[in-house]
Amino acid sequence: MGDPTLPGGGRRRSTGDAPGRLLTGAAALLCAVVAVGAGLAASGGGRVGMVLPLVVVAGLLVGLLALTRFSAYVMLMLAVRSCVDLFKLSGPTAGRADGAAATRTMDPSTILAVLFLLAAGLWLAAQLRQRGRLRGSPLGVALLLVGATSLVSALGAAQPAPSALEALRIGTVVVMFVVLEQLMPDLPAVRRILLAAYASLVLAIGYTVVLSLFGHPPAEVKGDFTRISGPFSQSTTFGRYLMFMVIFGFGVYRYLDRRFRVGLGALLAASLLFLLLTNTRSAILGAALGLVVVAVLHRSRRMLVALCLVAVAGVALLPSVAQRFGQLADSTAVGGGPTGNTLAWRVGYWSEIVSLANRNPVTGIGPNMTKFEADEAKKPHNDFLRAYVETGLLGLLAYLAMMALCLHTGLTALRRAPPGTLGRGIAVGFLGCAVAFVGVSAASNVISNVVTLWYFAAFAAAASAVARGLPAGPPGAPAPAVPAPAGRSIG
């Protein structure tokens, strides 16, 4: 290309300036039209008419970013996904059957999921053509099998639309892991992805804190309890999201620079408080289990003592937490109600729904179909049983392989990570998350919380990068100086 500089020192006007200005003007006009339309819809009380135009514009802008800077697009998705449910149109649907499949299809989260699958598919195809192969791992293969069995099961479901939508949501988790494996070739790339993941925590905690300070904490009332839900539609989703973020955060904390420790420490303290305020028993127990794993692997007695003190303080200062756990001793099972001995109810419900798999024991009744087929119209509250009932023996084997390989990936990363490095913290943090995932899945619908699984997939991809031997920098970069031993700030 010629030099655009004129002899007199000026610059020759680029022939591409006019199209650029035209596109900019068109984008500004589109935004103005959409803003006016959304305002009119809001004044008329139409939530769908207000949200959808904004989602369309956001989708176009994000789609443009995906086509030009795909890695930045993925990090943006990780950073903002925790707050997307604020614009949800279908309302809470976890644990119950309803007829809102059409509305759920128009949810911003569904639209972004479709956009992500399309953009990721094109990008992965380009990477495959350019490099001849994609970076992979046994865990990635297991996740692909989980996605494939979900899709096959959805094809034979009695209600294909909601089942296919669930298979699509699970597919986004699988594709996110595969994409992140390609985007994490070295330690700086891993740092960027993890920073994007914890940017989502900043947004989630910030939103919850601001609304709480104004006297309107984001919460839902279930039975006798008011439970903090944060930017999510349900407190259970917020609880499980915080569970993973807290466990992994404590895993990497001691290996961060001092400037990052201060910020992460404040985030973790607020996250622990809000985790207790969600009153989600499975998430609280899962976080406790994962943090014990982190403390043991860090050989930190002080962390174990601190966990005991947090547990005692939580019970003493938050009576609702003690009351919630005290319901486990109730003799009466509450039939799917929001409070009571739901553990006793779940055991009875499991014995009821296991026979649903007899209709098609090989491929199951279809993802998300249990709540449509069972008399109580609820999800299984057990991901192992759900895998068998909804995706059959093939899906159960794929799910068990995924669980086993999550633990194997964490152990392999732990064995290969050099002591005193961030890689060691990533291995410890993910192994704690994996143990919590396995434990909580035995009595919860974790696989339904796709938004939380995006972050689990990010941590899994980071651990997979450590397991295969993570370079300290891009190819050709000078070798870094040997770091001094990390301080033992919390251990």
Side-chain angles (χ1 to χ4, degrees):
M1 295 181 62
D3 186 355
T5 304
L6 295 174
R11 294 188 63 84
R12 187 179 291 115
R13 180 172 294 180
S14 172
T15 57
D17 286 350
R21 287 195 300 271
L22 181 61
L23 288 175
T24 302
L29 179 61
L30 177 62
C31 291
V33 171
V34 169
V36 171
L40 293 175
S43 63
R47 179 173 171 83
V48 174
M50 178 182 66
V51 172
L52 280 183
L54 299 176
V55 172
V56 169
V57 171
L60 291 174
L61 295 177
V62 170
L64 180 62
L65 180 63
L67 293 175
T68 55
R69 294 284 303 277
F70 185 76
S71 60
Y73 159 73
V74 173
M75 288 188 288
L76 176 64
M77 289 293 96
L78 286 173
V80 304
R81 182 59 186 88
S82 62
C83 293
V84 170
D85 285 352
L86 291 173
F87 307 97
K88 195 171 186 178
L89 301 175
S90 59
T93 59
R96 61 178 66 90
D98 52 40
T103 306
R104 196 177 184 190
T105 304
M106 294 188 296
D107 275 338
S109 59
T110 303
I111 296 174
L112 290 179
V114 173
L115 175 63
F116 172 72
L117 289 176
L118 291 175
L122 293 174
W123 184 79
L124 288 172
Q127 295 298 302
L128 180 60
R129 181 177 180 181
Q130 179 181 355
R131 301 193 313 213
R133 57 173 297 182
L134 297 177
R135 189 178 294 113
S137 65
L139 177 56
V141 174
L143 282 167
L144 288 170
L145 290 176
V146 169
T149 53
S150 297
L151 183 59
V152 170
S153 298
L155 296 177
Q159 299 191 42
S163 190
L165 182 60
E166 185 73 4
L168 180 144
R169 296 173 70 243
I170 294 173
T172 63
V173 179
V174 177
V175 175
M176 175 60 78
F177 178 83
V178 174
V179 165
L180 290 178
E181 277 200 309
Q182 317 310 312
L183 293 177
M184 293 185 179
D186 50 52
L187 186 58
V190 172
R191 287 178 181 271
R192 289 192 294 269
I193 297 297
L194 295 181
L195 186 61
Y198 275 90
S200 76
L201 184 61
V202 173
L203 294 177
I205 295 297
Y207 171 82
T208 308
V209 169
V210 169
L211 265 64
S212 299
L213 291 177
F214 279 100
H216 301 284
E220 60 177 349
V221 178
K222 286 190 173 183
D224 300 328
F225 301 101
T226 299
R227 302 167 59 176
I228 294 294
S229 57
F232 299 96
S233 59
Q234 287 204 318
S235 56
T236 52
T237 305
F238 191 32
R240 289 166 194 151
Y241 166 78
L242 292 176
M243 176 185 75
F244 287 133
M245 303 304 282
V246 164
I247 294 172
F248 193 85
F250 274 98
V252 301
Y253 177 86
R254 62 168 60 187
Y255 302 106
L256 300 178
D257 295 336
R258 187 175 299 276
R259 55 176 178 165
F260 288 118
R261 289 183 194 172
V262 175
L264 182 59
L267 277 178
L268 294 178
S271 298
L272 282 172
L273 174 61
F274 287 128
L275 174 59
L276 293 173
L277 291 175
T278 65
N279 242 329
T280 305
R281 290 180 298 207
S282 60
I284 295 172
L285 291 175
L289 179 61
L291 289 175
V292 167
V293 171
V294 170
V296 170
L297 293 176
H298 279 330
R299 299 177 183 177
S300 174
R301 295 181 181 178
R302 283 191 292 173
M303 186 174 175
L304 289 173
V305 172
L307 290 176
C308 294
L309 293 177
V310 169
V312 172
V315 172
L317 300 177
L318 303 172
S320 61
V321 176
Q323 294 172 14
R324 179 83 171 130
F325 278 92
Q327 291 174 339
L328 294 175
D330 292 349
S331 58
T332 303
V334 177
T339 60
N341 190 351
T342 56
L343 179 60
W345 167 79
R346 292 177 195 202
V347 173
Y349 189 52
W350 295 339
S351 62
E352 172 192 338
I353 65 175
V354 68
S355 60
L356 294 175
N358 295 337
R359 301 181 188 178
N360 193 344
V362 178
T363 59
I365 63 175
N368 205 30
M369 284 295 100
T370 301
K371 66 179 184 179
F372 292 97
E373 300 289 343
D375 293 337
E376 295 194 46
K378 293 186 177 295
K379 294 182 179 181
H381 292 79
N382 183 316
D383 283 336
F384 297 97
L385 181 60
R386 179 179 183 174
Y388 171 61
V389 172
E390 296 187 349
T391 58
L393 288 172
L394 294 178
L396 176 60
L397 291 175
Y399 189 78
L400 292 175
M402 180 195 74
M403 288 293 198
L405 286 169
C406 280
L407 297 173
H408 178 265
T409 299
L411 291 171
T412 303
L414 189 66
R415 186 173 64 251
R416 295 184 178 177
T421 63
L422 179 60
R424 172 80 180 184
I426 291 171
V428 170
F430 175 68
L431 192 54
C433 289
V435 171
F437 190 10
V438 173
V440 173
S441 293
S444 301
N445 301 309
V446 183
I447 201 69
S448 299
N449 298 142
V450 172
V451 55
T452 66
L453 293 184
W454 270 33
Y455 300 99
F456 182 80
F459 301 153
S464 178
V466 175
R468 68 173 179 262
L470 193 64
V482 179
R488 302 181 64 86
S489 301
I490 62 172

